[in-house]
Amino acid sequence: MSLADEHDARLIAEADRARALSWTRHYKERGYALIPKGTRCLCDVGAGTGDDALAIAELLTDDSRVIGVDARAALVAEAHRRARNVALGVAFYTADASALPFEDGSLDVVRADFVLGTLDAPESALREAARVLRPGGLLLVHDRADGPCEAWVLSLARLGFDETPLLEHFPTPDGARGLTFLAVRGRS
């Protein structure tokens, strides 16, 4: 096994371990509940192994589409493997959060779960989310509250978001605070 393959296998195992933790299940379930039932097209940015995209697709209507994107091809391949026997409207693509493969205003919801803090240019990813969201569309973010996260919330107004309620702070196992916020794309 090559070093790259070993690294990819570790990423997949870490994602599976994290998903099994009770605090992870708790904030994810609360986040899923924030997704409007009438959502027709949702993009899960940083979808990893695809488990969240699959869970969200089960909650939406049969004619909804959930699209998972991740910059790591090995994780997208694992997402395809996990979705192979699932008859839901889910697709997975390799894409960068700062260059999403969607037309302007084409999505109802963009979700980023502990992704922004891992990016070199999180503001670029937020700008891209604003571009692909339809007017009135929702940006749902879970991330660490320490560091620049609160600054991202403050920057959303200049990116075209009308409302940015801070919804919840939650503890993480390492003693940090997690933050969930939901931003509404402006209608103008």
Side-chain angles (χ1 to χ4, degrees):
M1 181 180 282
S2 73
L3 286 176
D5 291 340
E6 287 178 21
H7 176 71
D8 293 341
R10 269 194 314 276
L11 284 175
I12 292 166
E14 287 173 17
D16 289 340
R17 275 192 299 277
R19 187 164 182 77
L21 298 172
S22 62
W23 78 273
T24 303
R25 286 193 309 273
H26 174 74
Y27 89 81
K28 286 181 182 289
E29 288 170 5
R30 290 177 64 103
Y32 298 161
L34 296 171
I35 298 168
K37 296 296 181 210
T39 296
R40 306 271 299 152
C41 193
L42 177 144
C43 178
D44 188 21
V45 176
T49 59
D51 294 323
D52 288 335
L54 291 166
I56 291 165
E58 288 180 9
L59 300 173
L60 299 177
T61 61
D62 289 342
D63 58 345
S64 297
R65 289 185 326 132
V66 176
I67 304 159
V69 299
D70 201 289
R72 296 167 305 235
L75 294 181
V76 173
E78 178 65 13
H80 281 289
R81 188 189 69 75
R82 292 180 184 201
R84 185 176 36 219
N85 298 320
V86 178
L88 297 170
V90 182
F92 296 99
Y93 300 100
T94 302
D96 187 274
S98 298
L100 296 172
F102 307 111
E103 293 182 22
D104 294 0
S106 61
L107 302 176
D108 297 314
V109 177
V110 172
R111 178 181 179 274
D113 186 354
F114 281 87
V115 172
L116 296 178
T118 68
L119 301 176
D120 292 333
E123 294 81 8
S124 178
L126 290 171
R127 192 175 309 105
E128 186 67 351
R131 181 188 69 79
V132 300
L133 280 168
R134 67 167 173 75
L138 304 177
L139 171 64
L140 175 60
V141 174
H142 304 290
D143 221 302
R144 293 176 66 94
D146 55 350
C149 190
E150 304 228 10
W152 304 330
V153 172
L154 297 174
S155 72
L156 290 172
R158 72 178 153 68
L159 294 175
F161 290 92
D162 289 341
E163 303 171 33
T164 310
L166 274 173
L167 296 175
E168 177 180 43
H169 282 93
F170 54 90
T172 63
D174 63 1
R177 288 183 314 145
L179 173 71
T180 298
F181 66 86
L182 184 68
V184 179
R185 178 74 172 103
R187 296 192 181 274
S188 53

